Amino acid sequence: MRSALALPLAAAFLTLAPPPAPAAGTAPASVEEARLDRAAPQEILRRGGLASLAPEFGDALADARSFATAERTVVRYGSGLWRRAVDRAQGRGAAGGDLSRDDDRPLYWARLALTRELRSWRPGFTVSEEGRTRLLDDLERSSRGQDSIRYPAGKGVKRILLTGFDPFTLDRDTRISNPSGASALALDGTWLRTADGSLARIETAVFPVRWQDFADGTVERTLRPHLPRVDLFTTVSQGRPGRFDIERTNGAWRGGFPDNENLSRTEAVPVADPATRPQWTSTTLPYEAITAASTGRFPVYDNTSVTEVPLGSDVPVVRPDGPTPGSAARAGGGGNYLSNEIAYRATLLRDRLGLTRLPGGHVHTPVLEFGPGNTDPATGTVSDPDFVRNRLAIIAQVRAIVSVAASAADHGGRR
């Protein structure tokens, strides 16, 4: 995650008039939700088997006679959506549509359809603004797997935590998929065997591409209960074309690229206790073992580059071999967008919890590319054979990288 489709004719005419004001007691649709009415999201929902979910959710909300009932409904639909997406990705049950099972996009667009229903809900009882915010938060967390991370009890099982992201740059192309989110769906609740013969359980969650959610602490809230109990963690996002990167260093800086709400932030990463905020954090993933292993068709690099403002200067410079003492961060190896920020937050949390030897860091996947002849969002299809093959290859290589990392950690490969 380093740094617009033409609307159908009918939709284009609709945009000439200002949108109606939200009804009393409701909230306006978000920028993300407004994209739902474009052609590609509607096709993805339909072909992903999830087009009927939002109307069903709306009917269930309409039947709620208390806040407690509404909250149970929200959590049931949110967690049900996550489980349905995971089951689809892992081949359980009917696919519910003709899109490839590994596709992460039905989850993304279905979640937005649910949140839009929730914003427009007009209950027959009073719900405060804080209450509606709480319900939206319940829906976000439950539909992202953030509140369902569970590991088997007892000894002898290694515990791995992996995170992915939503699609992004959707005004450029609403067909976009994010292979990190697809990897999270494919790997959630799965097992692998490490080099010493131990079984390892992978649990996953997906995060939004929104600056404010990160400032509100969604990463720390999700990871803090689990980091002291896991044997390895990795945040994952989409990076550069044709390659994986193991990011050596993460920087405490937001570079301002617009998020999925089209909001920009250029500032130091906002964290608790900013007086002790380091400019840089480092990976403890076994990067030497990962880059030396044969994990798939894409090359894997140990990325040591950063952009810094050197001590005593006010001019940013690129440092291929990492930061110099006393420098201020302007970009980590993974840039200065939310992929760098989740890596910074996760590794800072690791360090603040005193888990300095816990293997953890960030993996950037290749950009997921459409096939030749399907690159124009105005005329292209929502999927093609190359697109599916590329995503499956990235998912398989993420799993292989995690396996190598877990096995290297068995042998003290915590670098």
Side-chain angles (χ1 to χ4, degrees), residues 14 100 210 313:
L14 287 173
S100 175
R210 296 190 297 251
S313 173

Side-chain angles (χ1 to χ4, degrees), residues 120-183:
S120 64
W121 172 51
R122 302 184 70 179
F125 51 91
T126 300
V127 177
S128 66
E129 182 179 346
E130 292 77 11
R132 196 177 290 268
T133 298
R134 174 172 153 180
L135 293 176
L136 284 165
D137 185 63
D138 288 339
L139 183 52
E140 285 281 338
R141 285 177 55 75
S142 60
S143 66
R144 295 179 176 281
Q146 294 177 2
D147 63 356
S148 60
I149 298 168
R150 303 225 188 344
Y151 293 99
K155 299 180 180 180
V157 174
K158 295 188 181 297
R159 296 163 175 82
I160 298 170
L161 181 56
L162 179 146
T163 70
F165 271 106
D166 288 346
F168 63 110
T169 63
L170 293 156
D171 287 330
R172 183 182 305 166
D173 188 347
T174 48
R175 304 175 303 158
I176 282 173
S177 164
N178 193 324
S180 71
S183 297

Side-chain angles (χ1 to χ4, degrees), residues 258-407:
D259 65 8
N260 276 351
E261 285 288 298
N262 290 339
L263 297 176
S264 178
R265 295 287 185 271
T266 305
E267 59 189 358
V269 171
V271 296
D273 194 13
T276 65
R277 173 182 50 214
Q279 288 297 302
W280 309 100
T281 64
S282 299
T283 190
T284 44
L285 289 173
Y287 52 85
E288 291 176 332
I290 294 170
T291 54
S294 178
T295 53
R297 84 173 201 229
F298 297 101
V300 183
Y301 292 90
D302 168 21
N303 184 26
T304 59
S305 179
V306 301
T307 301
E308 67 173 18
V309 177
L311 183 64
S313 173
D314 58 3
V315 180
V317 296
V318 176
R319 298 289 192 196
D321 297 323
T324 57
S327 65
R330 286 299 177 267
N336 51 25
Y337 196 37
L338 286 159
S339 55
N340 168 75
E341 184 160 332
I342 197 170
Y344 178 85
R345 288 180 178 276
T347 50
L348 177 60
L349 179 62
R350 174 202 64 198
D351 296 345
R352 285 181 166 180
L353 291 172
L355 305 170
T356 55
R357 287 185 55 79
L358 172 65
H362 191 77
V363 175
H364 259 122
T365 77
V367 172
L368 178 56
E369 297 177 322
F370 287 97
N374 191 32
T375 57
D376 186 348
T379 59
T381 59
V382 299
S383 190
D384 62 61
D386 287 320
F387 184 67
V388 174
R389 275 195 297 271
N390 289 337
R391 186 167 51 215
L392 288 170
I394 293 170
I395 292 169
Q397 197 160 349
V398 168
R399 179 182 171 87
I401 286 170
V402 169
S403 180
V404 169
S407 295

Side-chain angles (χ1 to χ4, degrees), residues 33-344:
E33 292 160 359
R35 299 186 185 104
L36 271 166
D37 295 322
R38 301 183 190 182
Q42 289 298 309
E43 181 179 352
I44 290 166
L45 276 174
R46 184 176 67 255
R47 294 179 61 191
L50 293 174
S52 65
L53 189 62
E56 294 170 8
F57 178 57
D59 290 343
L61 281 176
D63 290 338
R65 295 293 177 262
S66 69
F67 184 86
T69 302
E71 189 163 37
R72 286 193 295 270
T73 298
V74 165
V75 172
R76 183 173 76 251
Y77 272 83
S79 59
L81 173 58
W82 172 256
R83 184 45 49 196
R84 188 167 170 178
V86 169
D87 286 347
R88 189 181 196 278
Q90 297 181 18
R92 290 187 289 272
D98 67 346
L99 284 180
S100 175
R101 281 185 175 266
D102 53 284
D103 203 319
D104 61 302
R105 298 171 299 173
L107 170 64
Y108 175 71
W109 293 111
R111 181 190 302 113
L112 289 175
L114 296 187
T115 58
R116 187 164 70 172
E117 284 285 343
L118 184 53
R119 288 184 206 276
S120 64
W121 172 51
R122 302 184 70 179
F125 51 91
T126 300
V127 177
S128 66
E129 182 179 346
E130 292 77 11
R132 196 177 290 268
T133 298
R134 174 172 153 180
L135 293 176
L136 284 165
D137 185 63
D138 288 339
L139 183 52
E140 285 281 338
R141 285 177 55 75
S142 60
S143 66
R144 295 179 176 281
Q146 294 177 2
D147 63 356
S148 60
I149 298 168
R150 303 225 188 344
Y151 293 99
K155 299 180 180 180
V157 174
K158 295 188 181 297
R159 296 163 175 82
I160 298 170
L161 181 56
L162 179 146
T163 70
F165 271 106
D166 288 346
F168 63 110
T169 63
L170 293 156
D171 287 330
R172 183 182 305 166
D173 188 347
T174 48
R175 304 175 303 158
I176 282 173
S177 164
N178 193 324
S180 71
S183 297
L185 291 176
L187 298 180
D188 186 52
T190 62
W191 297 80
L192 57 82
R193 193 171 293 279
T194 64
D196 70 350
S198 299
L199 280 173
R201 169 70 169 248
I202 305 172
E203 290 287 320
T204 73
V206 171
F207 285 89
V209 182
R210 296 190 297 251
W211 293 113
Q212 188 59 49
D213 292 67
F214 277 52
D216 290 340
T218 185
V219 173
E220 291 83 356
R221 181 173 61 169
T222 302
L223 302 187
R224 184 177 288 109
H226 305 291
L227 288 195
R229 299 175 177 86
V230 302
D231 298 283
L232 181 144
F233 71 91
T234 185
T235 53
V236 184
S237 66
Q238 180 177 251
R240 293 187 268 191
R243 61 183 281 175
F244 277 85
D245 285 292
I246 311 302
E247 306 298 353
R248 186 83 74 87
T249 307
N250 318 297
W253 187 254
R254 296 175 151 191
F257 190 81
D259 65 8
N260 276 351
E261 285 288 298
N262 290 339
L263 297 176
S264 178
R265 295 287 185 271
T266 305
E267 59 189 358
V269 171
V271 296
D273 194 13
T276 65
R277 173 182 50 214
Q279 288 297 302
W280 309 100
T281 64
S282 299
T283 190
T284 44
L285 289 173
Y287 52 85
E288 291 176 332
I290 294 170
T291 54
S294 178
T295 53
R297 84 173 201 229
F298 297 101
V300 183
Y301 292 90
D302 168 21
N303 184 26
T304 59
S305 179
V306 301
T307 301
E308 67 173 18
V309 177
L311 183 64
S313 173
D314 58 3
V315 180
V317 296
V318 176
R319 298 289 192 196
D321 297 323
T324 57
S327 65
R330 286 299 177 267
N336 51 25
Y337 196 37
L338 286 159
S339 55
N340 168 75
E341 184 160 332
I342 197 170
Y344 178 85

